[in-house]
Amino acid sequence: MDVNVKVENFKSAAVDALVIGVFEGEESTRSGIVQTADEALEGAIRRLVDLGDFEGKHKQTAILYTNEEVAAPRLAVVGLGKSDVFDAEKAREAAGEIACKLRDLGAKTIGIPTPSDAPPEMIQAATEGSLLALYQFNQHKTEGLDDIKELDAITFLVSDEAGRSSQEDAAALGSAIAHGTMLARDLSNQPGNKLTPTILAEKAQSVADSTGLKCEILDLADLKEQGFGTLLAVAQGSEEEPRFIALDYVPEGEERETVVFVGKGITFDTGGISLKPGKGMEEMKHDMSGAAAVLGAMQVIGNVKPDVRVVGLIAATENMPSGTAIKPGDVVTSYSGKTVEIINTDAEGRLVLADALGYAARYEPQAVIDLATLTGAVIVALGNLTAGMMGTSQDLMDRLQAAGEKTHERVWQLPLWDDYDEQIKSNTADVKNIGDGTAGTIAGAVFLKKFAEGYPWVHLDIAGTAWDMKGSSYVPKTASGYGVRLLVQLAQDWESKS
Ligand code: BES
Ligand code: MN
Ligand code: ZN
């Protein structure tokens, strides 16, 4: 779908529907575009409000049918809520709500009358909200395809040239960010048999090819040669080969600081020999959502080109039970040389991340952030609305917190005091891969901390936010694409401390 900006009087725009945002409160119909539209429709908006059928409450909608003064057959009003609490998130939600409503009515093209001084952040937010709300995943359906409705274009209609170029940039940015997020959703929604580690690596290569990123893919032989012992341990039970993917965005000009994103890419998690129960196991096709967020973010970064070097690392494998699978009690050696006693083969995410975090040190980065659907415990602690955050750098956590507020992909910090280190002490090896059963999310982070040495590091446990993230107009019940917008915002806002 196309999002663009056009200089055109909205009354003459040949679109299937116009959309006008209206704040709560009487006076909001008496100025600006709402007033102009109301006059064109001979007071129809005022009558709607006076009757009490529409109050401008956030996400409230109403459709009006126009007269000959307006070319578009429909004019939709969408509530923006109280003007003093309006922000980018409210704009995303309102845009998503009305875009879906109009799509369901059969509209193909939407025009949004836009004042020439409209803040670019709001254009970006409306673009993100509508594209993300319109997202559907129908790749594996062969029936009912004729009933699927889609919008073709959304156009911001501005009355004069002033501000046009910044508005075009904002729409393009919002569109790039939404497409990165939708890429992450598509990958995460893909069943395990359609997205193997090999296929994930091919996708990464094609993202790199289309955005000019460098891409290096390590196959089974490379991983053996380079000593990716904990990734290989998880992979050894599977017929599918593992892959390690490194994407690299290097800004032009002088050398910049380096930020590394690391994603857990378990394309299916059965639990291995510590097999998961059958009920709901199909959801473990999403267990590569950290990898999906990293790949989605790298696509956006390749397009928007921030002033910081960004590396995306993905450790991809299946976790399967078989005659060749790792067993509880096995000891394996990680990339960094530390040994791990595997107590539970279902704690596989931290194993594949251990190697990736060890590998990350070669970039001598100023920040490393890993995203992983690591523990069910984070859903118990925080639910589905926020990721659990733990790390060794308060500065980096503060930056993520700020990026989370802006994007509404929020994070919430949990403690990572040294006292918790007891949890992963092993009698046999340097560490064991699970704790004592309490504070499961923290225990996972304590394990990762052992391998995230030599750089500032933050771990985001996205098991709650990667899917089932209920309650928002533009986030579906299945894969959310959580993390793409957060990581892109962090990269865009990156300012070196040195
Ligand atoms: N992929 C799961 C975590 C998960 C659970 C994500 C539910 C989303 C929803 C992870 O590999 C896992 O199995 N974690 C175990 C850790 C335990 C064995 C220490 C868990 O959470 O039970
Ligand atoms: Mn598991
Ligand atoms: Zn897992």
Side-chain angles (χ1 to χ4, degrees):
M1 204 197 52
D2 200 29
V3 182
N4 50 57
V5 178
K6 238 192 206 169
V7 177
E8 182 172 12
N9 186 322
F10 70 83
K11 289 184 212 168
S12 57
V15 290
D16 296 332
L18 293 169
V19 170
I20 289 182
V22 182
F23 286 112
E24 206 174 321
E26 265 285 284
E27 59 294 349
S28 68
T29 56
R30 293 181 217 270
S31 65
I33 280 169
V34 189
Q35 188 190 24
T36 316
D38 186 54
E39 280 164 8
L41 296 187
E42 296 156 276
I45 300 178
R46 287 295 299 279
R47 285 196 294 281
L48 188 71
V49 172
D50 288 346
L51 273 173
D53 288 10
F54 179 86
E55 299 153 295
K57 289 207 186 307
H58 186 225
K59 298 196 281 186
Q60 196 180 18
T61 59
I63 313 282
L64 297 169
Y65 295 88
T66 58
N67 55 20
E68 47 293 337
E69 253 206 77
V70 176
R74 308 176 185 89
L75 185 141
V77 288
V78 57
L80 303 178
K82 296 208 164 68
S83 58
D84 54 338
V85 292
F86 185 70
D87 61 7
E89 178 62 8
K90 294 251 171 16
R92 281 182 211 107
E93 285 213 277
E97 199 76 30
I98 195 64
C100 288
K101 180 143 266 168
L102 290 168
R103 174 202 52 200
D104 295 345
L105 286 176
K108 292 281 177 201
T109 55
I110 291 182
I112 308 179
T114 307
S116 46
D117 60 351
E121 310 82 85
M122 291 305 161
I123 308 261
Q124 182 190 335
T127 304
E128 289 172 2
S130 42
L131 287 174
L132 291 175
L134 292 164
Y135 172 83
Q136 308 179 61
F137 185 74
N138 295 317
Q139 284 179 31
H140 302 298
K141 292 186 180 155
T142 65
E143 290 180 354
L145 295 178
D146 294 343
D147 302 332
I148 293 170
K149 292 178 172 161
E150 277 178 89
L151 280 186
D152 294 335
I154 297 179
T155 306
F156 293 95
L157 302 163
V158 288
S159 50
D160 57 74
E161 284 289 341
R164 174 190 173 144
S165 89
S166 65
Q167 291 172 343
E168 267 170 356
D169 291 348
L173 177 60
S175 180
I177 289 172
H179 279 100
T181 305
M182 294 191 285
L183 168 65
R185 288 178 183 174
D186 274 348
L187 293 168
S188 181
N189 281 328
Q190 215 56 264
N193 64 331
K194 305 286 181 187
L195 189 83
T196 61
T198 308
I199 299 172
L200 181 59
E202 287 165 6
K203 297 268 181 202
Q205 183 68 62
S206 73
V207 167
D209 292 345
S210 61
T211 53
L213 301 172
K214 283 193 242 166
C215 178
E216 198 182 352
I217 293 165
L218 306 185
D219 65 13
L220 184 60
D222 301 324
L223 296 171
K224 283 183 177 159
E225 196 185 298
Q226 296 188 39
F228 282 70
T230 46
L231 171 58
L232 287 168
V234 177
Q236 76 187 43
S238 172
E239 296 279 329
E240 289 291 339
E241 279 195 16
R243 290 287 184 270
F244 188 80
I245 304 160
L247 294 162
D248 196 352
Y249 160 73
V250 185
E252 278 173 26
E254 62 186 280
E255 203 176 308
R256 309 288 178 155
E257 292 197 335
T258 303
V259 176
V260 180
F261 302 148
V262 179
K264 168 179 171 180
I266 301 295
T267 57
F268 195 81
D269 181 13
T270 65
I273 295 299
S274 313
L275 193 65
K276 286 183 181 295
K279 191 171 183 307
M281 202 206 270
E282 72 285 355
E283 291 196 340
M284 287 301 134
K285 69 180 177 186
H286 295 300
D287 208 22
M288 32 53 68
S289 296
V294 170
L295 191 48
M298 292 309 293
Q299 174 177 293
V300 184
I301 282 163
N303 285 323
V304 308
K305 308 198 188 306
D307 276 337
V308 57
R309 180 179 179 195
V310 186
V311 175
L313 303 178
I314 290 169
T317 177
E318 289 186 331
N319 184 25
M320 296 291 282
S322 77
T324 60
I326 40 167
K327 303 170 291 295
D330 285 0
V331 174
V332 295
T333 305
S334 70
Y335 184 86
S336 61
K338 291 195 172 92
T339 58
V340 181
E341 183 185 11
I342 295 163
I343 304 295
N344 188 318
T345 66
D346 198 11
E348 85 298 338
R350 61 199 73 181
L351 294 174
V352 308
L353 289 174
D355 279 350
L357 291 169
Y359 190 87
R362 69 166 52 209
Y363 298 97
E364 297 177 4
Q366 278 65 45
V368 175
I369 298 145
D370 77 72
L371 289 89
T373 49
L374 210 72
T375 66
V378 80
I379 309 173
V380 178
L382 299 172
N384 299 87
L385 294 178
T386 181
M389 173 169 75
M390 291 137 283
T392 54
S393 163
Q394 192 59 48
D395 170 57
L396 187 53
M397 288 191 279
D398 292 345
R399 291 181 194 230
L400 280 159
Q401 152 82 34
E405 292 303 325
K406 283 194 194 172
T407 56
H408 213 70
E409 290 196 328
R410 291 168 298 178
V411 296
W412 195 259
Q413 188 176 343
L414 300 174
L416 196 60
W417 299 306
D418 291 346
D419 314 49
Y420 287 109
D421 293 354
E422 288 298 314
Q423 288 242 13
I424 57 156
K425 287 223 164 105
S426 162
N427 294 326
T428 311
D430 297 339
V431 286
K432 58 180 170 129
N433 79 329
I434 62 167
D436 64 11
T438 66
T441 301
I442 296 171
V446 170
F447 179 90
L448 296 176
K449 187 175 75 171
K450 275 273 174 190
F451 301 89
E453 287 184 337
Y455 48 71
W457 160 77
V458 172
H459 160 60
L460 299 177
D461 193 332
I462 62 167
T465 52
W467 68 94
D468 268 352
M469 193 188 184
K470 306 158 190 97
S472 166
S473 304
Y474 63 93
V475 184
K477 280 215 182 332
T478 56
S480 63
Y482 176 96
V484 173
R485 295 187 298 118
L486 178 74
L487 295 178
V488 169
Q489 188 71 52
L490 181 90
Q492 285 186 301
D493 291 349
W494 194 263
E495 272 172 32
S496 63
K497 282 268 151 115
S498 51

